[in-house]
Amino acid sequence: MTTVIQEDTVRQLHLKQKVMELHVTKDTYVTSQAKDYIREKGMRLIVDEPESAGISENKAIRPAKEMAGGRFVTQDGKNLDAKPEHMTHLHGNLLVEKNHPRIVLRGMLDDLQADIIELQVRAEAQGMTRTVDELSETLDYCRAIMASEVTEKAFEVVSLLGMDEARQREISHYPKKYLGIGHLMPDYRMGAVAVGLNKLRTKTRQTELAAVTAFCTPDGKTVRGDLIQALNRLSSTFYIMMLRLAAETQKQAKEDPNE
């Protein structure tokens, strides 16, 4: 199980035990708020046994044990000795066509993760450390959705950027009240990163629709409502991040109109 370190934990270690170096493993998740506190107090976050060049190996990818003997089965019960090129694994040695709705969903989740990483590169180039960290949190969240779908295990509800679902809904519905800025008509003048966040928001919406296609039955029932809800929360998170950046840009423009 992944260990999560929140801001309050770091604060207590710093204030009560005078800790200035926080050692974690590569599997530990440190929230963006905790990282902000670490930077503010001049603390050091040290990852023990780091991966080479900061690149982590994906050890979750491994062949199903049934594949060792070259045994495959299709959804209609056929046995195959080899995997046809037009088919892929739904789970274990069960094969489906590559245009199966769940495989399409996986492809969109994969694409969404790639776009998050791409925006991280752009944000880092602009020195937007907080945004980079928050995007890391959304990336982990997206990967958790993918893992939940593939393993067919229930999605564990977690907070995103320190917000539970109720808080997130409140801010996204009433941004003027909480962020000092109303709902936006996306515009290039928001800046490259804010525009990129809007793109992530729309792509997440498309991925959510793919999940509806994959998991809603003809009689209107939803098989994996947890994943659909998780994607809805993710798109709201990107929207809040976009609004917050736009509000900060607006504030800076007012403070320094010559910029």
Side-chain angles (χ1 to χ4, degrees):
M1 180 179 295
T2 300
T3 300
V4 178
I5 295 183
Q6 300 181 350
E7 179 185 0
D8 185 61
T9 301
V10 177
R11 183 186 296 108
Q12 295 300 321
L13 289 171
H14 177 65
L15 295 178
K16 293 185 178 181
Q17 301 181 31
K18 309 302 180 184
V19 171
M20 292 301 296
E21 289 188 356
L22 183 63
H23 289 259
V24 299
T25 67
K26 64 180 184 295
D27 296 322
T28 302
Y29 177 69
V30 183
T31 67
S32 57
Q33 291 80 10
K35 289 179 180 178
D36 285 343
Y37 185 89
I38 290 170
R39 284 191 293 270
E40 178 186 343
K41 300 302 180 182
M43 300 171 64
R44 293 182 61 200
L45 180 62
I46 301 173
V47 180
D48 295 325
E49 299 181 6
E51 297 284 350
S52 301
I55 300 175
S56 301
E57 176 186 355
N58 190 345
K59 298 178 180 178
I61 299 178
R62 55 186 181 275
K65 60 182 180 180
E66 296 90 344
M67 291 171 55
R71 300 187 302 274
F72 303 95
V73 63
T74 64
Q75 285 188 305
D76 57 2
K78 293 179 181 177
N79 293 307
L80 301 175
D81 294 327
K83 182 176 75 65
E85 288 300 320
H86 71 285
M87 304 189 80
T88 189
H89 301 272
L90 184 62
H91 55 76
N93 65 338
L94 176 62
L95 299 181
V96 294
E97 285 77 10
K98 290 182 178 179
N99 63 352
H100 186 283
R102 284 179 60 180
I103 303 304
V104 172
L105 173 60
R106 291 176 192 177
M108 295 190 70
L109 284 167
D110 195 23
D111 192 33
L112 180 58
Q113 292 172 47
D115 283 344
I116 293 172
I117 295 170
E118 182 179 17
L119 187 58
Q120 279 186 294
V121 174
R122 293 161 62 187
E124 184 180 43
Q126 296 187 34
M128 303 171 70
T129 306
R130 178 177 179 179
T131 300
V132 172
D133 289 343
E134 290 181 344
L135 285 170
S136 290
E137 191 169 339
T138 65
L139 181 62
D140 289 341
Y141 186 89
C142 190
R143 287 170 173 167
I145 293 174
M146 173 82 88
S148 175
E149 190 281 321
V150 172
T151 61
E152 301 185 337
K153 294 180 180 179
F155 183 77
E156 295 183 8
V157 179
V158 297
S159 65
L160 261 177
L161 310 189
M163 299 177 290
D164 60 18
E165 186 176 2
R167 177 69 173 173
Q168 187 181 57
R169 184 185 302 108
E170 184 75 8
I171 295 175
S172 63
H173 285 186
Y174 307 102
K176 187 72 174 179
K177 177 181 178 181
Y178 295 99
L179 303 175
I181 190 169
H183 291 288
L184 294 176
M185 179 72 72
D187 188 279
Y188 75 96
R189 287 168 291 189
M190 295 189 305
V193 174
V195 169
L197 287 167
N198 184 56
K199 182 65 175 179
L200 290 177
R201 178 189 65 82
T202 63
K203 181 157 286 188
T204 306
R205 287 295 188 192
Q206 294 171 3
T207 307
E208 181 184 354
L209 292 178
V212 170
T213 300
F215 293 118
C216 284
T217 59
D219 59 359
K221 295 181 180 179
T222 303
V223 180
R224 292 300 306 267
D226 56 336
L227 297 185
I228 296 171
Q229 183 180 19
L231 285 163
N232 184 275
R233 288 194 61 199
L234 184 59
S235 66
S236 295
T237 299
F238 289 133
Y239 183 55
I240 291 172
M241 292 174 67
M242 180 191 75
L243 286 168
R244 190 167 57 207
L245 276 185
E248 291 172 356
T249 300
Q250 188 179 87
K251 180 180 178 181
Q252 291 170 3
K254 290 179 179 179
E255 293 175 348
D256 192 350
N258 296 320
E259 284 290 329

